[in-house]
Amino acid sequence: MGALALKTSKERVQQEEAHLDLSQYLTFQLCGETFAIGILAIKEILEYMPMTQVPMMPDFVRGVMNLRGAVVPVIDLSLRFGKGETTVRRRTCVVIIEIEHDDQQQYFGVLVDAVHEVLAIADGDIVPAPQFGNHIRSDFIAGMAKVQNRFVVLLDLSRALSVEEMAQLAMLDETALDVAESAAEEHVSH
Amino acid sequence: MSEYDSALPAFLDEAHELLAAMESILMDVQGQQPDSEQLNAMFRAMHTIKGSSGLFGLDAIVRFTHEAENVLDALRAGELSFDDELNTLLLRCHDHVKAMLQELDHPDVLASMAAPPLIDELKAYFRQQTSGDISPLAASATEAPAAAEQSWLISLRFGREVLADGMDPLSFVRYLAESGELGGLQTISTQLPGGDAFDPEQCYLRFELVYHSAMPLAKLNDVFEFVRESSQIHIFPLATAGRYLATVTQGQDEAEQQAVAAAWQQLGVVIEAEAEVVTEAAAVEAVAPLASNLQFAQAAKQASGAVARKTEHKETKTTETRFIKVEASKLDNLINLIGELVIAGAAANLIARRSGQSAQIESTATIATLIEQIRAGTLSMRMVQIGEIFSRFPRVVRDVSKELGKSIELHISGAETELDKSMVEKLGDPLMHIVRNAIDHGIESVETRLAAGKSATGNVWLNAYHESGSIVIEVADDGGGLRKDKIVAKAVANGLISADAMLSDNEIYKLIFEPGFSTAEQISNISGRGVGMDVVKRGLEALRGTIDIDSAVGEGTNFRIRLPLTLAIIDGFLVQIGKSTFVIPLEVVVECIEVPDDLKSDGTHSHLNLRGEVLPVLNLSEFLELGEPPGKRQNVVVVNYGESKAGLLVDNLLGEFQTVIKPLGQLFSHLRAISGSTILGSGEVALILDVPALIEFAKQKEVADFAGQTEQGRAQLH
C-alpha cells in the first residue's frame, strides 16, 4: 500500500511538472564531466563511507554498504562507463537510487565525485543524444539537456544500473577470468 | 472495490483457517459420532465462508457452501446420522471449497465449479437417509420448480428513514405479490404521530402479511436485502409463527405490541404462550425433534443460526485474548528495526567504554541487556508450532492408504515444537513427499506384512524435537526398509555411480535423492516417478537443512531432517581476513587451530596434518582474491562439510556472533561462495560464507587448474 501511495504522489508530481513542462534533475560530477539524473529516482545522498568489498565481482561493484539495516550495493559509475576508478576525496558522495526491477524496488548506491545542484529543465530543452561522439555508451544516455548554453548528459539509470546486465557481466567476469588464466598459461607454455 | 480488495486476503486467511478446523474435526471423528460442538464448528465454517463470500460477490462459493451448510444443518438437527460415507462426502466438500478459493482470479472457472456432481451426491445421500420425505434440503436450498408452495408470515417494520433512502415499502409488497400470493395484509399505524409531529418524509407504518409462495427462504430474505439494516424484517413459516410474537415485538411500546398481536390473529396465526420463547436455544431444542417437515426445519434453522452466531461471537472473544493476528510484514519491519537497535546499542556501548565513565558504561550495559531481551522476544513471535503442518497428515495418510488398500496408522508426537513461520510454510512440500513415499514404498501390502510376521496395520511416525539449536523432524515407518542392493544396482544402471564404487550406507541411502531415481518397479500416481525425493532434497537445502536416513531391511526406515530454527538468524563465527570480516556459520565450524609451521603452502591449496588426518586447507584471502597481504599470525578454522573436513586459512578469529541474515539481492545471486550478508555491531556489512558451496567451487577450480596444467605439460612435450 505504501509503495502505491508513493507512486501516486510521484505521479502527481510528474503530472504537475508535465503541465509546466519542467522536470527536476540533480547534476553531479563524475570523471570530470557533469551528468544529471531525474530527482524522482533519488532516495538520498550520503557522504562516502568505507564499504565492504564483495569478492569475485567485477570492479565496478565497489562493495555493499549498510543503509539503515538494508544492504545496498554501491556501483562505481566511472568504472561502469569504462573509465578510471573513482578516487575517494573530500566531496565524494554516494547517491542512493531506487530502481524498479521485476516489480520490486531495488536500491543502489552510486559513487560520484561531487554533487552540484537541483535544476529544473524544460522538456523542450532536452534533445536526443547524438549518434556518436559521446563519451559513454549511447544507450546509457536518456538525452542531452541544454543548461546555460552547455549540454549536460541526462543518464538513463534503468540502463546504466540494469540488474540483469550487471549480473551477467559479473558472471562473465568469473568465467572470463578462468578463460584468461588458462589462455595466459597456454601462452606461457608456448 | 479497493476496500474489498484489501479485505480479500483476510477473508482467504479466515476461510483457510475455518476449512482447516473443519478438516481436523472430520479426521478426529472418524468412525464415531461428532459431538454437538464439533457439528456446530463445521456448520459455522461453511456458514461463515458462505457469508463472507456473499460479501465479495462470490456467488459460486455461496451456492456450493449453501448446500454443504444445509447438510450440516440437518446433521445438527439430528435428521441425519453421521457415518463414514458422509464423512468422505464432507471431506470432499472441504476440498472443493478449498479448490474454489484457489480460483478466485478466474471467475469463469469459479462459476463452473458452483454446482459440481458432488452436490448431486450430497442430495442423493440426503434423500436416501431421510427416506421419502420431501426433503427440506431439496425444497429450501435448490430452486427446483417442484418445490412445494409454502406459507409464510412476514413482519415488516420498516425503519423511519427508508423513504428518505429511496425505498418505497409498498414496492416490496408489490414485488412479493408478483411471485406469490398475498394471503392477507394488516397495516399497523400505532406509530403514526398526529399533527405537527408528522413528517411526511418518514415511514411510520408497519405491515404484517401472510404470503404463499414457492420461493425459498434464502431468496425471500434477499428481497429485503437493501432495507435489512435499517428495518426489522421477520419471516416465519406460518404454522409456527405464533411462538415468535415476543421476538417480533421486542422493545416496542404496548400499543404496537397489542396491535401486532391483533393483526396476527386477524391473519389466522395461532399465538402461543409468550413464555414459549424463553431463549433461542430452547426453541431449537423444542423444534429440532419435530423438524420432520419443511416448516419446522426452517424454524429450527433460523433459531439455531442465531445461536451459532452467538457462540461464534463468544469464541472469537476468547481466542482474541490468546492470539493477535499481525501482518507478517509488520513483524518483519519490527525485527529489522530491532536489528538496527542492536547495532546502535553496540555503538553506544563502544563509545561509553571509550569514555571510561562507569555510570555511563553501566547504563548502556543495562540497555544492551534489555535490547537483547526485546530481540529474543520479537524473534520468538515468528515462531509457530510445527503442529500446523503435522495436522494435515492424518488426512493424507487416510486418503493415500485408502487408495492403496493399505491399513496405516499415523502417530504424531512433538507437534508443539516451535520453528520459524517462514520455515513452516516451506517445509510442507518436502515433508509431504517423504510421508507419501513412506506410505507407498515403505509400508508393504497387508499380505506381505502378514507373511513377514508383522501386524497387518502399518505404522508411520511423525516426530519433532529441538536439539542443540536446530529442530529435528523424524518420519519413520515400520515397512520394508531400503534395499541397498536395489539402490546400488539402480544407481549403476542410471550411471550415477560406477559399479565398483565403495559407498557407506548413508551415501547409498542418499542416492534416492538424486533426480530421476526411483526403485519402485511400478509407477503409481502417488510416488515412483522419481521426482519427489529430488524435490525433497532441494527444498531442504533451500532451508539450510540436512537429511539423514536410517534403515534396516524388513524393519523400516527413518528419515531424520535437521533444520535451523529460523531462516532469519544464524549463529555465526566471525573471522577477519585482511581488512574484511566474514561470517562462517557456526554449525559447520569444528575447531580452530593455529597455523603450524609445517603447513606446506603452494598458494591457494595446501594441506596440513590434523592429529594424523590429512586436512586440505584453503587460503581464503587468495581464493577470494582479496588482494591483502597475509597477517602475521594466521589461524585455520576447521569446518565440516557433508562427511568431510577442510581448513580455512584466515588472519584473525573474532569469535561467535548471532547475526540477522540480510539477503544480498539479485546482483549477487550468482555468487556461489557467499550466501548472504549481515550487519556487525560497528554498522559494517560482513559477508556470510556458504562453506559447502565454497569448497565445491574450490574443488572445481582446482580440477580446472590441473586440467590446464596437464595441457600445459602436453604442450611442452610437443
Side-chain angles (χ1 to χ4, degrees):
Chain A
M1 279 317 267
L4 196 73
L6 201 70
K7 212 169 172 181
T8 44
S9 74
K10 261 187 189 175
E11 274 167 2
R12 206 175 307 129
V13 172
Q14 273 169 342
Q15 274 165 7
E16 277 168 17
E17 279 171 358
H19 183 66
L20 294 168
D21 282 342
L22 277 178
S23 305
Q24 288 189 306
Y25 294 87
L26 174 80
T27 57
F28 56 87
Q29 193 80 21
L30 188 72
C31 45
E33 272 184 76
T34 307
F35 292 94
I37 45 178
I39 58 161
L40 294 179
I42 299 173
K43 194 161 153 39
E44 58 195 292
I45 300 168
L46 301 171
E47 210 180 323
Y48 176 83
M49 55 182 112
M51 48 198 70
T52 306
Q53 189 194 340
V54 182
M56 297 177 288
M57 288 300 285
D59 289 346
F60 64 78
V61 180
R62 281 290 277 252
V64 285
M65 60 181 278
N66 168 15
L67 178 72
R68 286 187 307 279
V71 176
V72 176
V74 178
I75 307 294
D76 187 335
L77 268 188
S78 174
L79 278 172
R80 174 92 173 105
F81 293 160
K83 315 220 165 151
E85 188 180 326
T86 306
T87 38
V88 177
R89 293 202 186 84
R90 201 171 54 85
R91 295 187 64 195
T92 305
C93 288
V94 178
V95 182
I96 305 290
I97 287 167
E98 196 179 338
I99 288 199
E100 204 161 314
H101 177 71
D102 279 352
D103 289 334
Q104 276 186 327
Q105 303 294 336
Q106 187 139 22
Y107 292 128
F108 277 102
V110 170
L111 211 57
V112 301
D113 287 332
V115 172
H116 293 320
E117 59 186 330
V118 174
L119 289 177
I121 301 174
D123 288 353
D125 285 341
I126 298 174
V127 294
Q131 300 276 318
F132 62 96
N134 298 308
H135 296 287
I136 60 170
R137 259 168 64 179
S138 55
D139 62 332
F140 288 170
I141 305 178
M144 307 285 275
K146 204 159 52 179
V147 181
Q148 294 160 349
N149 296 325
R150 279 188 310 127
F151 276 109
V152 174
V153 175
L154 300 183
L155 288 179
D156 183 345
L157 285 176
S158 62
R159 298 279 188 106
L161 296 180
S162 151
V163 177
E164 277 127 12
E165 197 190 312
M166 288 195 291
Q168 255 171 18
L169 276 175
M171 237 181 290
L172 277 179
D173 206 52
E174 207 170 280
T175 43
L177 210 72
D178 295 344
V179 174
E181 266 174 20
S182 51
E185 276 164 10
E186 251 168 59
H187 185 72
V188 168
S189 67
H190 281 295
Chain B
M1 212 42 208
S2 69
E3 271 169 62
Y4 287 141
D5 284 347
S6 61
L8 198 60
F11 159 63
L12 280 176
D13 260 12
E14 186 193 25
H16 282 300
E17 254 167 47
L18 288 165
L19 285 173
M22 178 174 171
E23 189 181 23
S24 77
I25 291 170
L26 286 171
M27 295 313 295
D28 274 355
V29 297
Q30 270 186 57
Q32 36 185 321
Q33 287 293 317
D35 58 29
S36 66
E37 203 170 294
Q38 288 171 321
L39 284 176
N40 277 332
M42 288 197 282
F43 175 82
R44 211 155 50 224
M46 283 297 131
H47 182 77
T48 311
I49 292 173
K50 184 179 103 173
S52 313
S53 306
L55 277 180
F56 288 98
L58 305 166
D59 293 336
I61 298 182
V62 173
R63 277 180 65 190
F64 182 79
T65 45
H66 184 80
E67 300 295 338
E69 187 189 345
N70 276 315
V71 172
L72 284 164
D73 191 37
L75 199 59
R76 223 166 44 155
E79 287 165 57
L80 280 180
S81 62
F82 196 82
D83 58 19
D84 247 14
E85 194 185 341
L86 185 58
N87 193 338
T88 312
L89 275 174
L90 287 174
L91 274 174
R92 286 174 56 201
C93 288
H94 157 270
D95 292 347
H96 191 75
V97 175
K98 213 167 180 178
M100 287 172 110
L101 289 174
Q102 300 283 330
E103 297 293 345
L104 291 189
D105 287 341
H106 309 103
D108 320 347
V109 184
L110 198 61
S112 69
M113 290 169 90
L118 188 57
I119 284 194
D120 298 329
E121 279 181 54
L122 267 181
K123 281 183 204 152
Y125 176 83
F126 197 96
R127 235 168 276 136
Q128 176 199 334
Q129 291 293 313
T130 47
S131 57
D133 262 359
I134 298 173
S135 96
L137 169 78
S140 70
T142 65
E143 285 146 37
E149 196 177 81
Q150 305 146 43
S151 302
W152 306 96
L153 177 82
I154 303 176
S155 166
L156 306 173
R157 188 176 193 262
F158 289 104
R160 287 274 159 93
E161 307 296 331
V162 284
L163 290 173
D165 288 344
M167 307 286 173
D168 180 1
L170 201 58
S171 66
F172 288 100
V173 179
R174 279 204 200 100
Y175 176 79
L176 287 179
E178 275 172 28
S179 48
E181 191 197 331
L182 287 178
L185 186 140
Q186 293 284 324
T187 309
I188 294 160
S189 54
T190 51
Q191 296 299 307
L192 200 67
D196 287 347
F198 176 76
D199 178 350
E201 287 185 358
Q202 294 212 337
C203 174
Y204 299 99
L205 297 180
R206 165 174 189 158
F207 306 98
E208 305 293 321
L209 51 111
V210 168
Y211 182 54
H212 308 287
S213 167
M215 207 191 274
L217 181 61
K219 206 164 170 199
L220 207 49
N221 270 321
D222 284 348
V223 172
F224 300 102
E225 188 66 45
F226 292 112
V227 286
R228 189 165 292 280
E229 228 167 78
S230 54
S231 313
Q232 292 169 14
I233 311 289
H234 296 277
I235 303 167
F236 302 111
L238 188 60
T240 55
R243 60 184 71 195
Y244 297 111
L245 183 61
T247 322
V248 170
T249 54
Q250 207 173 11
Q252 290 150 15
D253 66 31
E254 210 168 302
E256 190 176 344
Q257 281 182 12
Q258 281 170 4
V260 172
W264 281 26
Q265 265 163 353
Q266 285 266 330
L267 291 169
V269 177
V270 184
I271 294 168
E272 295 172 27
E274 284 188 22
E276 181 96 18
V277 192
V278 184
T279 62
E280 284 155 323
V284 186
E285 271 168 13
V287 176
L290 298 168
S292 56
N293 67 31
L294 173 68
Q295 280 84 355
F296 281 102
Q298 293 293 353
K301 188 172 162 189
Q302 264 209 337
S304 59
V307 176
R309 271 193 297 281
K310 233 180 185 173
T311 37
E312 191 176 60
H313 182 66
K314 208 164 116 200
E315 272 190 21
T316 35
K317 230 178 176 177
T318 48
T319 47
E320 253 169 13
T321 57
R322 290 174 53 216
F323 291 109
I324 303 171
K325 252 192 198 161
V326 181
E327 216 176 292
S329 66
K330 279 189 188 168
L331 199 54
D332 287 344
N333 279 341
L334 185 64
I335 289 173
N336 270 342
L337 275 177
I338 286 168
E340 287 295 291
L341 187 63
V342 171
I343 293 160
N349 231 336
L350 200 71
I351 293 168
R353 239 180 284 161
R354 266 187 215 149
S355 76
Q357 287 178 327
S358 59
Q360 200 179 351
I361 295 174
E362 214 164 287
S363 63
T364 49
T366 318
I367 293 171
T369 9
L370 286 173
I371 291 175
E372 201 46 52
Q373 282 172 14
I374 293 173
R375 184 165 86 153
T378 326
L379 288 174
S380 73
M381 279 198 255
R382 283 185 65 96
M383 297 299 202
V384 292
Q385 298 192 345
I386 196 166
E388 201 172 293
I389 2 177
F390 278 6
S391 62
R392 61 172 100 146
F393 286 106
R395 171 79 194 277
V396 174
V397 171
R398 176 186 187 270
D399 286 0
V400 176
S401 56
K402 240 186 191 172
E403 203 174 310
L404 294 170
K406 292 177 183 176
S407 153
I408 292 170
E409 208 172 310
L410 179 72
H411 310 267
I412 291 179
S413 52
E416 69 289 338
T417 315
E418 288 187 327
L419 82 168
D420 195 280
K421 171 89 180 156
S422 57
M423 306 271 287
V424 167
E425 283 156 10
K426 290 173 190 146
L427 200 56
D429 276 351
L431 263 189
M432 184 71 78
H433 279 295
I434 296 179
V435 171
R436 282 175 161 244
N437 204 65
I439 299 167
D440 195 15
H441 299 320
I443 306 282
E444 319 90 321
S445 64
V446 175
E447 300 85 60
T448 325
R449 284 187 72 88
L450 288 174
K454 294 188 198 174
S455 65
T457 306
N459 292 293
V460 173
W461 290 271
L462 265 177
N463 185 25
Y465 55 91
H466 282 163
E467 193 183 84
S468 62
S470 41
I471 182 168
V472 179
I473 302 163
E474 289 179 324
V475 182
D477 62 68
D478 64 348
L482 291 171
R483 296 273 302 272
K484 273 185 272 177
D485 48 340
K486 247 181 161 180
I487 297 174
V488 171
K490 179 88 186 213
V492 171
N494 280 0
L496 290 169
I497 54 169
S498 60
D500 53 353
M502 296 291 288
L503 295 171
S504 69
D505 283 4
N506 208 357
E507 280 171 323
I508 294 175
Y509 295 145
K510 279 193 176 160
L511 286 172
I512 63 168
F513 294 117
E514 293 299 323
F517 195 95
S518 174
T519 53
E521 279 99 12
Q522 233 176 349
I523 290 172
S524 67
N525 65 345
I526 289 151
S527 52
R529 271 166 301 214
V531 273
M533 292 315 240
D534 178 30
V535 171
V536 170
K537 192 181 165 198
R538 263 187 287 127
L540 292 178
E541 271 173 4
L543 296 172
R544 303 205 322 266
T546 55
I547 185 160
D548 284 312
I549 306 171
D550 272 343
S551 183
V553 173
E555 285 172 33
T557 312
N558 186 1
F559 289 87
R560 195 174 295 114
I561 300 165
R562 184 180 291 273
L563 293 163
L565 283 181
T566 161
L567 282 179
I569 295 223
I570 60 164
D571 277 316
F573 189 75
L574 280 182
V575 296
Q576 199 175 24
I577 305 165
K579 269 179 277 171
S580 320
T581 312
F582 289 90
V583 180
I584 301 172
L586 196 62
E587 62 210 24
V588 302
V589 177
V590 183
E591 60 182 315
C592 302
I593 50 173
E594 234 177 282
V595 172
D597 301 329
D598 63 339
L599 178 69
K600 295 190 196 113
S601 178
D602 66 337
T604 316
H605 308 282
S606 51
H607 62 267
L608 60 79
N609 179 348
L610 178 73
R611 292 185 294 273
E613 271 179 74
V614 181
L615 184 77
V617 174
L618 186 67
N619 185 339
L620 277 184
S621 173
E622 289 199 23
F623 183 72
L624 298 175
E625 292 152 12
L626 297 175
E628 314 255 6
K632 274 182 207 153
R633 280 184 54 202
Q634 290 194 297
N635 289 279
V636 172
V637 180
V638 181
V639 293
N640 232 335
Y641 65 101
E643 298 288 299
S644 343
K645 283 181 187 167
L648 301 176
L649 194 65
V650 302
D651 287 347
N652 262 320
L653 306 173
L654 302 177
E656 283 177 38
F657 182 67
Q658 206 186 37
T659 116
V660 181
I661 300 178
K662 306 264 177 187
L664 266 178
Q666 255 178 323
L667 186 56
F668 304 99
S669 56
H670 72 285
L671 281 183
R672 275 170 289 180
I674 289 160
S675 58
S677 62
T678 183
I679 294 168
L680 301 178
S682 60
E684 248 180 282
V685 180
L687 302 172
I688 301 168
L689 293 176
D690 181 345
V691 171
L694 177 79
I695 291 185
E696 195 52 43
F697 188 32
K699 268 194 212 163
Q700 281 174 17
K701 223 175 161 188
E702 193 174 77
V703 169
D705 284 358
F706 282 128
Q709 277 176 23
T710 329
E711 276 187 20
Q712 192 179 323
R714 229 178 268 149
Q716 273 169 349
L717 278 176
H718 283 293

